[in-house]
Each structure stands twice: as C-alpha cells, then as structure tokens.
Amino acid sequence: MVDNSVEPEKGMRAGAQAVAAVVVVGGVVGGMWGLGGVLPKTSQADSKPATCSASTDKTLPAKYVSPAQLCTALNRSDLPVLLGTPEEHAETAGGSAGWMTLAGGTKIASPEADVDLKTYSVRLSASYDDIPVAAAARYVDSTSEVKMVLGHPAVLYSDRTIAISFNLGGGKASTGPGGVARSLLVSTSAKDDGDSFEISIWRQDDVPPDDEALFRIAEEVLPTVPGWTAG
C-alpha cells in the first residue's frame, strides 16, 4: 500500500507567511491527494462535505483566534462557489495552532486552518507579529502588489509550492518545484496596527490559481473571523 498524502508546510514569516505546499506522492501506484491539506479527516468516499476536525493543540491563549474558529470561518458551504468550482465539496478540513519563533527568538502565535477540495486547497492563518501589512510587503516576493480589501491594507503575492515524492517500498524521496500559490495578506483593521489574516489558495495541478476567487473568499470569509474590525 502506498501512502499518497499531502501536508502543507509553514514557510518562514516576517510579517507575511510564505506558503509552501508540500505534495507527497507515492511512487509505486498512481494517484495523489493533491496540493495542500493533511491526511483525510473524513472519508473521501463520503458525499458530504468535510467537517472541521478539532485541533489537539491547546497552547494558544484565549485572546488569539483559535484554529477551530478559523476552520469554521473558512469551511463554509459556499466555498466551492467562491472558488469557481460549484460542483465540488470540501474533502478535508482542519486547523492547527502553535508558535512561530523568529530569528531573534521572539515567539508569535500562528494558528491556521486548511480546507481541501478536489481542485483547490485553501488556507486561512492569523499572525500577531506587530508588523503592519504595509511594512510586510518588503518581505514577500518582488511581484507583490499593494491592495485594499474591504477598506483594509493588503498585499497580494505569489509563492512556489514544493513537491515531494517517495516510494514507500524503497524508502527514497525526491523533491522538485510544484505549482504556484497565491496569497493575500490583510490587516485585521483599517489602521494596520500589526495583526493580520492571510488567505492562500493553490491548485492540485499546474494551472495558476484564480486571483478573483482569492478576493471573493477574502471578502466573504474575513468579516466572519473573530478579531476582524470592520472599517
């Protein structure tokens, strides 16, 4: 039996988290789960959309948004429509919490949630690093674009996914470039005071993700996340 699974990997973040989706492909028989996500939390054969699995990480103080809250906000019934794939449904959904340690030793909360469909994977994360989005634009790729989302400062940028393939029988693994992920880093407030949410989307194939879908998701999802300030 071959374990064809996928695990997104957190990128280095300094004001903006670079998403690196890791594709794990079995090398003995064909098929893979696709880009992004974790091992299925609901049966792939189940026709019903996935429900959010509970995070076992209890390390985040109550003042931060929880992985469960992020997953609930992201795993909405109209997510396939917002992505432009209305015939699909969420196949896996879950959240994780923890701390990210910066180069100087400073620890920041880094809760996130992922929802995977047949075509797309979507991640919603939160950052409390006290770096305004306007300043974070310097830390992402050279093609980043300054935007506004619902009156909040935002940065649109790209990242490259990483593909990992291995043969369970032989125990050998290899890596290579994957597809493109598009991310939108948005301040939680119009004042851009240092807290931010980030939505990232990437596809299971080599087709670039749809920026319009990314913005549709941001405009519908972000106002429902605890900690978002309208304005």
Side-chain angles (χ1 to χ4, degrees):
M1 180 179 178
V2 177
D3 182 6
N4 299 329
S5 59
V6 178
E7 181 75 22
E9 180 181 71
K10 284 187 178 182
M12 296 298 292
R13 177 166 185 157
Q17 177 177 324
V19 171
V22 178
V23 186
V24 183
V25 183
V28 178
V29 299
M32 63 181 181
W33 295 118
L35 297 180
V38 295
L39 288 174
K41 303 170 185 68
T42 60
S43 171
Q44 293 281 356
D46 191 345
S47 61
K48 295 181 180 180
T51 56
C52 290
S53 65
S55 171
T56 57
D57 193 321
K58 307 295 183 182
T59 61
L60 293 183
K63 66 179 180 179
Y64 299 121
V65 64
S66 71
Q69 290 171 321
L70 291 174
C71 191
T72 298
L74 184 60
N75 189 32
R76 47 192 291 149
S77 60
D78 63 348
L79 181 61
V81 175
L82 296 174
L83 283 167
T85 57
E87 73 285 355
E88 298 182 3
H89 64 266
E91 297 181 344
T92 68
S96 62
W99 297 90
M100 181 175 291
T101 303
L102 302 182
T106 302
K107 292 185 176 182
I108 58 174
S110 57
E112 64 181 32
D114 293 273
V115 176
D116 303 306
L117 294 81
K118 181 178 180 180
T119 301
Y120 274 102
S121 288
V122 188
R123 170 175 291 167
L124 172 61
S125 59
S127 178
Y128 303 94
D129 50 19
D130 294 326
I131 299 178
V133 167
R138 300 195 301 266
Y139 298 106
V140 295
D141 76 321
S142 60
T143 65
S144 63
E145 303 174 54
V146 176
K147 301 286 185 178
M148 293 292 286
V149 174
L150 301 175
H152 293 215
V155 176
L156 174 68
Y157 70 98
S158 296
D159 197 11
R160 177 66 64 174
T161 63
I162 303 170
I164 299 177
S165 63
F166 67 95
N167 187 317
L168 290 181
K172 295 181 179 180
S174 61
T175 61
V180 174
R182 292 290 277 171
S183 298
L184 191 60
L185 182 72
V186 186
S187 173
T188 60
S189 70
K191 295 181 180 180
D192 196 14
D193 54 8
D195 294 344
S196 59
F197 294 132
E198 184 170 75
I199 295 180
S200 302
I201 62 174
W202 58 95
R203 291 178 57 107
Q204 324 300 9
D205 49 33
D206 291 330
V207 177
D210 181 7
D211 282 357
E212 292 185 5
L214 178 60
F215 278 91
R216 285 195 298 266
I217 294 169
E219 291 172 357
E220 294 297 328
V221 170
L222 293 181
T224 70
V225 182
W228 175 266
T229 303

